[in-house]
Amino acid sequence: MNIWSKVSPSEKSKYIYRIARLMQERARELAIIETLDSGKVIRESRDIDIPLACNHFFYYAGWTDKLQYAFPNKKVSPLGVVGQIIPWNFPLLMAAWKIAPALAAGNTVVLKPAETTSLTALKLAEIIRDSGLPDGVVNIVTGYGDTGAELVNHYDINKIAFTGSTTVGKIIQKSISGSDKKVTLELGGKSANIILEDAPIDQAVEGIINGIFFNQGHVCCAGSRLFVQESIYDIIIKKLKRRIDKLIIGDPLDKNTDIGAINSKEQLNTINNYINIGKSEGSKIFQSSYKLPNKGYYCAPTIFTDVSQSNRIFQEEIFGPVLTIQTFRTIDEVIKKANNSPYGLAAGVWSDKGSRVFNLSSKLRAGVVWANTYNKFDPTSPFGGYKESGFGREGGLHGLSPYINLK
Ligand code: NAI
Ligand code: MG
């Protein structure tokens, strides 16, 4: 077994806490690098991504000496070497989601960041080195998909944790079948955001905006399918359009910017392609009239109405600031519509009535259901999906299980 697995639980804690504290000390630097590298707005890097990444290390640091209590009457041991492959939408945060529980459970790590966003992972490697963690416990390897594939197929790897596209998730599952490698996959989504007629209207409009435009819509759990109850449809659409038109799009480093840059030219092409598909499918488009910068990759916040369930823009993950909108009359109808998706990662429900929220959240096939909020994350809370959104959970005690052997 590796040297890390032999370090005592309380010593392990100290290292992981030290990493968290060093990240906090360098939070400003990390936020700026993240924004420069990914195109996400500085307000989000500074107030959401980086603090949450630190919190993951703080949270999992506390688990090292409690594993025996968490899994009573079992002998808990680490898996060994875990390979971790992450995407470009939340570079440092995804690295933290992956590395912190793996370390707390006593594993060593080889992590591959996405090819367009490797910088904060490399900065994290520096921080981890400065924390004094023994050499070789955390390893960061940069590269394209072929490097990821090498990791997946390497005979010394005991487990693969992957976040990214459903296409690559399926390739990984095929490659490891027949081996004794373990795997967890956090894949795409097309999540429903449901506004009931008794919802607080202005809050719901903010929730719609945050649900789909947060991080330019590069969010696996983005609320990309909006369902509005018929009686409040007109008012919601009117307010939503007015709000969209006020969003500031541009320089990600400017503190006033609401919508930053699209991560890559490739992704912008994908999004624009879907916008064209939406138009050709006959849906009605509305886009923000804010003038986009003429340099860099930008996409105007976009909504589609008159969308049908069979439309590609309703079924497929766009991973950009593009929202499809449908109406519904009854609760049963919206449950059917919302569950009509190959994905099942998240959902949002907006209502003043607890019983309605409870009813809906128990019937929606989604790993996470938010009530009167959206895109809220916390290290104590498990996150993950059903169906083609993958399997395995990250966060909380659930997030430790995929990194341990139980006897
Ligand atoms: P991707 O799945 O190709 O990339 C994610 C990570 O997997 C990157 O680190 C990449 O280098 C690695 N990778 C690529 N091919 C691999 C292979 N054969 N074996 C092992 N690792 C491999 O995602 P991509 O191409 O950047 O985006 C395509 C679409 O995927 C997006 O438009 C979006 O719909 C979806 N996506 C979903 C994400 C999520 O969080 N659910 C994150 C990123 C993309
Ligand atoms: Mg790809």
Side-chain angles (χ1 to χ4, degrees):
M1 265 289 167
N2 66 65
I3 42 167
W4 179 240
S5 67
K6 296 200 186 97
V7 174
S8 73
S10 62
E11 277 300 304
K12 280 201 191 80
S13 262
K14 284 185 206 162
Y15 283 113
I16 304 173
Y17 275 125
R18 209 175 296 144
I19 294 168
R21 280 197 307 271
L22 287 171
M23 286 170 74
Q24 269 187 331
E25 278 169 25
R26 297 185 203 169
R28 288 173 70 92
E29 192 185 350
L30 286 167
I32 289 168
I33 296 172
E34 195 74 312
T35 284
L36 283 171
D37 206 22
S38 71
K40 66 173 66 212
V41 298
I42 189 70
R43 224 172 42 213
E44 289 171 8
S45 306
R46 185 195 61 193
D47 299 344
I48 300 171
D49 289 47
I50 310 302
L52 262 178
C54 300
N55 285 349
H56 266 268
F57 281 97
F58 277 120
Y59 173 75
Y60 279 109
W63 270 114
T64 57
D65 56 357
K66 298 169 190 75
L67 296 174
Q68 222 52 69
Y69 300 97
F71 304 96
N73 305 320
K74 305 267 188 200
K75 190 173 176 302
V76 180
S77 60
L79 300 176
V81 187
V82 301
Q84 306 182 317
I85 300 166
I86 57 171
W88 40 264
N89 52 341
F90 293 95
L92 186 71
L93 185 57
M94 287 305 106
W97 277 31
K98 296 274 182 285
I99 295 174
L103 285 185
N107 302 279
T108 59
V109 167
V110 184
L111 176 129
K112 191 197 88 61
E115 48 270 40
T116 57
T117 56
S118 301
L119 294 184
T120 45
L122 293 172
K123 200 74 202 166
L124 180 61
E126 226 175 83
I127 287 172
I128 289 174
R129 184 198 58 200
D130 293 351
S131 77
L133 194 79
D135 285 348
V137 175
V138 173
N139 307 273
I140 311 283
V141 180
T142 59
Y144 290 85
D146 54 348
T147 307
E150 296 263 355
L151 201 53
V152 170
N153 295 314
H154 199 287
Y155 59 88
D156 272 341
I157 294 280
N158 302 104
K159 180 217 156 72
I160 288 289
F162 172 78
T163 299
S165 63
T166 299
T167 315
V168 173
K170 285 179 180 168
I171 295 173
I172 290 177
Q173 216 173 352
K174 261 194 209 130
S175 333
I176 64 156
S177 72
S179 78
D180 61 356
K181 280 176 195 155
K182 292 193 156 61
V183 67
T184 41
L185 303 173
E186 205 266 88
L187 308 177
K190 191 79 184 177
S191 298
N193 202 2
I194 301 170
I195 321 292
L196 303 188
E197 58 193 359
D198 63 347
I201 301 285
D202 290 329
Q203 267 167 264
V205 169
E206 283 312 304
I208 296 166
I209 296 277
N210 174 45
I212 185 63
F213 300 132
F214 171 55
N215 201 31
Q216 294 71 247
H218 304 326
V219 182
C220 48
C221 52
S224 50
R225 292 183 302 148
L226 177 67
F227 298 94
V228 184
Q229 201 153 15
E230 234 172 49
S231 55
I232 53 164
Y233 181 72
D234 290 340
I235 176 90
I236 289 276
I237 296 295
K238 197 173 109 198
K239 288 192 177 226
L240 187 60
K241 286 181 175 172
R242 205 186 293 155
R243 184 70 180 85
I244 287 174
D245 233 17
K246 286 209 185 92
L247 293 170
I248 300 171
I249 306 145
D251 184 359
L253 279 171
D254 186 328
K255 275 182 278 195
N256 294 317
T257 303
D258 298 307
I259 312 280
I262 301 301
N263 181 256
S264 65
K265 190 174 179 191
E266 202 186 350
Q267 189 60 26
L268 181 58
N269 289 341
T270 304
I271 299 166
N272 284 334
N273 188 34
Y274 273 112
I275 292 177
N276 288 330
I277 290 170
K279 288 182 197 160
S280 67
E281 284 173 331
S283 296
K284 231 193 258 162
I285 186 171
F286 170 86
Q287 287 186 302
S288 138
S289 60
Y290 197 90
K291 196 176 166 322
L292 300 184
N294 44 28
K295 217 175 121 230
Y297 310 133
Y298 290 94
C299 179
T302 303
I303 62 175
F304 279 106
T305 50
D306 292 345
V307 180
S308 89
Q309 296 263 301
S310 60
N311 285 164
R312 284 185 63 191
I313 56 164
F314 178 87
Q315 289 291 342
E316 297 173 21
E317 182 177 53
I318 300 174
F319 225 61
V322 182
L323 178 68
T324 64
I325 308 179
Q326 296 199 325
T327 59
F328 65 94
R329 281 190 189 147
T330 66
I331 301 291
D332 287 342
E333 180 191 346
V334 77
I335 291 169
K336 270 203 200 103
K337 282 181 167 171
N339 285 339
N340 176 20
S341 166
Y343 296 111
L345 192 52
V349 179
W350 297 78
S351 167
D352 215 17
K353 220 171 166 194
S355 59
R356 286 186 167 169
V357 170
F358 188 72
N359 176 36
L360 268 166
S361 54
S362 58
K363 288 177 185 153
L364 292 169
R365 283 287 288 165
V368 176
V369 181
W370 284 292
N372 295 322
T373 187
Y374 208 94
N375 278 334
K376 279 271 186 311
F377 307 97
D378 190 284
T380 64
S381 166
F383 183 89
Y386 293 116
K387 300 192 272 187
E388 292 206 6
S389 293
F391 47 80
R393 294 289 179 267
E394 297 186 282
L397 176 58
H398 295 71
L400 277 170
S401 317
Y403 290 105
I404 54 173
N405 270 323
L406 292 177
K407 245 192 207 155

